[in-house]
Amino acid sequence: MAVVVADIGGWMQTVGAQWLLVGQPNATVLVALVSTAAAVPFLILGIPAGVLGEFLNRRRILIAVQGFQVVVGSALAVLTVIGEMSPALLLTLTFLLGAGDVLQLPAYQALVQEIVPRTQLTRSTSLSAIGINISRAVGPALAGLAISTVGIGFVFALNVATSMFFLITVLRWRGYAPPTPHVEPFIDAARAGLRYVLYSGVVRNLFLRLSLFIIPANALWALLPFIASSRLHLGSDGYGFLLAALGLGSVSGALLLPLTRTRFSLNSTTAAGAALFGAGTIAATLSASLPLTLVVLFVTGVAWIDVVASFSAAVQIFLPTWVRSRGLSVYQIIFFGGAALGSALAGVVAEALGITLVNVVAGILLLVLASIQFLRPLPRFENIDQSTAIIPTIDQVIVDSELDFTDDATTLVISRWDVAPEQHALFIDHMRAVEASRRRTGARHWELYVDKDHRDSFVEIFDIGSWREHLEQDRSRLTEYDHQLLSAAAELASGPPELTQLISTDR
């Protein structure tokens, strides 16, 4: 409830900021840059935010960030009321508010995973989407009403009040018991998160499809104020109703999403949503009738949440526990970075070529994307077990104290597999999947060799940044799916490999 209230205030702040710039010179670019200023922090701080959310107390992160939001929001409200708010200052303060959002979002999303049972994650994601879009429906409508009656400064002050409500709620929450993670050095943890995303084919594919949707889809969000003012000749309250129609459509789509996902695959849901959003973007841009535009935007809102919530749920369900917060931070980079890029491109191109052409081209691109997705579907991953594998961990190495080895020493792992001649081809092919598993869980380099003098002996070699990280690899990073890959390799060979672990002597 506190998040919904805070999101309502956030949407009121966005609408107020956009409307404050509508009458400025180069307004098309400036209004689009409001979305960009809020999204750029995700590109800069996304990975650090994911690492912090993985290892620090998540409740304390929320408290600190909400306090920061209250201070920045108060400055925004006061400067607007006294008439000292310039476009540059507005964009700067919007950037700072966006920085607060990025720092708390991975921690909040990972916190939900600790509270909600895994079997309810899809429905909890839908519930979260409903909350987000209730705020998207209510916030703009309230902002439009408030701007036309008491002014933009009051809208910014209401945003401060909603942040205060969220802060008080988290302060009063005493029952949170943070898990005790195996703390890793900051740089190592950041690299591990990026490495996982890079070598996980499923996550990589989901992120690619999401980015291809988000960039053109944000043309409608960025240029909607000008559809309201120029095409439909509406004021701030009318613009709020257009956003409310999108938001109400999104709420309806979120309510229908659990039913949709039981009948249709992730690929069908997201492809159909992209096609519907593309068609809605074109129709809303060309419509000169307010009732027709409201209906089109409602349907477009349904399509928006079908795509966004489906991708979000898929990523949250698939990511293993050990890298969830870091993976979600990359998701936020893709989502908000795509929004920033899409909004900026839409504003710049619309300034030169016009709003109608930009939105029509964006709609066509989304229709093309939907067609490609039907022809090249997303991979299925329902049968991939991402729970943490319960296997014996490596014993801590006992070394001569005079050599002064440390946990930071680079580690080289050598596995010797004995494989019968008739299994050579299958084994080599299967080890490509093992390579991806090793790299996802920490390996920086990986090679497979055959012993020249013993052709039935294959040698797998990979190195890891530190002995500490190697311990983490075996202790918490291997999922049941990874364990199944290694077990399948052992079945193709004569059994588990002969293992050698080497630690660097460099100091």
Side-chain angles (χ1 to χ4, degrees):
M1 291 171 61
V3 170
V4 171
V5 171
D7 285 346
I8 289 174
W11 272 102
M12 293 181 71
Q13 188 273 330
T14 298
V15 171
Q18 289 178 327
W19 207 257
L20 190 62
L21 296 173
V22 165
Q24 298 286 333
N26 302 315
T28 308
V29 175
L30 288 174
V31 170
L33 285 178
V34 171
S35 299
T36 302
V40 164
F42 286 86
L43 299 176
I44 301 172
L45 300 173
I47 297 299
V51 175
L52 295 175
E54 200 81 66
F55 298 114
L56 298 185
N57 185 303
R58 289 161 184 159
R59 174 176 172 268
R60 291 177 182 173
I61 291 176
L62 295 183
I63 291 172
V65 170
Q66 284 305 308
F68 174 78
Q69 301 286 69
V70 168
V71 172
V72 176
S74 298
L76 179 62
V78 170
L79 290 172
T80 301
V81 169
I82 65 177
E84 296 296 328
M85 184 58 63
S86 66
L89 185 55
L90 176 62
L91 293 175
T92 300
L93 293 174
T94 301
F95 174 88
L96 292 176
L97 290 173
D101 289 336
V102 67
L103 288 173
Q104 76 177 1
L105 199 51
Y108 171 73
Q109 289 185 323
L111 195 65
V112 172
Q113 313 299 315
E114 298 172 12
I115 299 171
V116 179
R118 183 176 176 83
T119 55
Q120 298 294 326
L121 278 181
T122 298
R123 292 180 179 178
S124 86
T125 302
S126 298
L127 182 62
S128 177
I130 291 171
I132 290 170
N133 288 284
I134 285 175
S135 65
R136 181 172 285 165
V138 174
L142 288 178
L145 180 63
I147 290 170
S148 62
T149 54
V150 292
I152 295 176
F154 183 74
V155 169
F156 293 159
L158 286 177
N159 179 44
V160 175
T162 61
S163 294
M164 282 291 296
F165 179 68
F166 191 4
L167 175 59
I168 292 170
T169 301
V170 181
L171 285 170
R172 288 175 58 85
W173 178 27
R174 302 290 187 180
Y176 174 60
T180 305
H182 301 293
V183 179
E184 303 173 40
F186 184 88
I187 298 299
D188 290 348
R191 286 175 176 170
L194 290 173
R195 194 178 295 115
Y196 179 87
V197 171
L198 182 62
Y199 290 103
S200 172
V202 171
V203 174
R204 198 171 60 242
N205 206 318
L206 290 172
F207 285 172
L208 174 63
R209 302 298 178 96
L210 175 66
S211 62
L212 291 176
F213 171 79
I214 285 296
I215 292 173
N218 267 275
L220 178 63
W221 291 105
L223 300 177
L224 193 60
F226 298 100
I227 294 176
S229 60
S230 302
R231 186 83 181 177
L232 299 174
H233 309 292
L234 301 173
S236 61
D237 51 349
Y239 172 49
F241 284 123
L242 295 186
L243 281 174
L246 271 169
L248 288 172
S250 297
V251 171
S252 303
L255 291 170
L256 293 173
L257 194 57
L259 178 62
T260 303
R261 292 290 288 119
T262 60
R263 298 193 177 189
F264 302 100
S265 67
L266 172 67
N267 187 76
S268 298
T269 302
T270 53
L276 194 57
F277 194 92
T281 298
I282 296 172
T285 303
L286 298 179
S287 171
S289 165
L290 177 58
L292 176 61
T293 302
L294 290 173
V295 172
V296 168
L297 290 177
F298 178 86
V299 176
T300 306
V302 174
W304 168 265
I305 207 62
D306 274 353
V307 177
V308 172
S310 294
F311 276 124
S312 177
V315 170
Q316 291 188 54
I317 290 171
F318 185 80
L319 285 171
T321 302
W322 71 270
V323 77
R324 181 168 291 139
S325 183
R326 283 166 281 182
L328 288 172
S329 72
V330 178
Y331 173 87
Q332 299 302 333
I333 290 173
I334 300 294
F335 186 89
F336 289 99
L341 179 60
S343 298
L345 284 175
V348 171
V349 177
E351 187 75 22
L353 302 178
I355 296 166
T356 300
L357 179 60
V358 170
N359 274 343
V360 168
V361 170
I364 292 172
L365 289 175
L366 290 169
L367 292 172
V368 171
L369 171 64
S371 302
I372 293 173
Q373 193 158 313
F374 277 120
L375 295 174
R376 299 199 62 177
L378 286 164
R380 303 295 295 267
F381 56 86
E382 291 83 354
N383 296 324
I384 298 178
D385 188 351
Q386 291 293 80
S387 60
T388 303
I390 308 300
I391 58 177
T393 60
I394 331 172
D395 292 330
Q396 178 70 41
V397 167
I398 301 174
V399 296
D400 186 340
S401 59
E402 292 182 1
L403 293 177
D404 193 27
F405 287 108
T406 71
D407 283 348
D408 294 324
T410 302
T411 301
L412 186 69
V413 180
I414 303 173
S415 302
R416 183 176 289 269
W417 305 79
D418 292 326
V419 184
E422 63 272 15
Q423 299 285 18
H424 282 190
L426 284 175
F427 181 80
I428 293 171
D429 184 61
H430 180 74
M431 290 302 285
R432 298 305 164 196
V434 173
E435 175 190 2
S437 171
R438 302 290 200 198
R439 290 182 181 274
R440 281 195 303 272
T441 55
R444 299 188 179 184
H445 305 92
W446 184 96
E447 293 290 344
L448 182 66
Y449 298 90
V450 63
D451 191 325
K452 184 176 71 68
D453 298 320
H454 302 87
R455 293 302 179 91
D456 293 342
S457 184
F458 288 84
V459 180
E460 175 197 11
I461 300 177
F462 61 93
D463 67 284
I464 302 176
S466 66
W467 175 252
R468 181 194 301 104
E469 191 169 4
H470 185 35
L471 288 175
E472 286 298 322
Q473 185 181 43
D474 276 18
R475 180 164 48 197
S476 63
R477 293 184 182 180
L478 289 180
T479 66
E480 284 296 337
Y481 175 69
D482 296 314
H483 187 42
Q484 291 165 12
L485 290 176
L486 295 174
S487 298
E491 290 177 4
L492 291 171
S494 61
E498 176 187 337
L499 190 65
T500 302
Q501 300 165 73
L502 306 177
I503 299 180
S504 170
T505 58
D506 291 336
R507 299 186 185 182

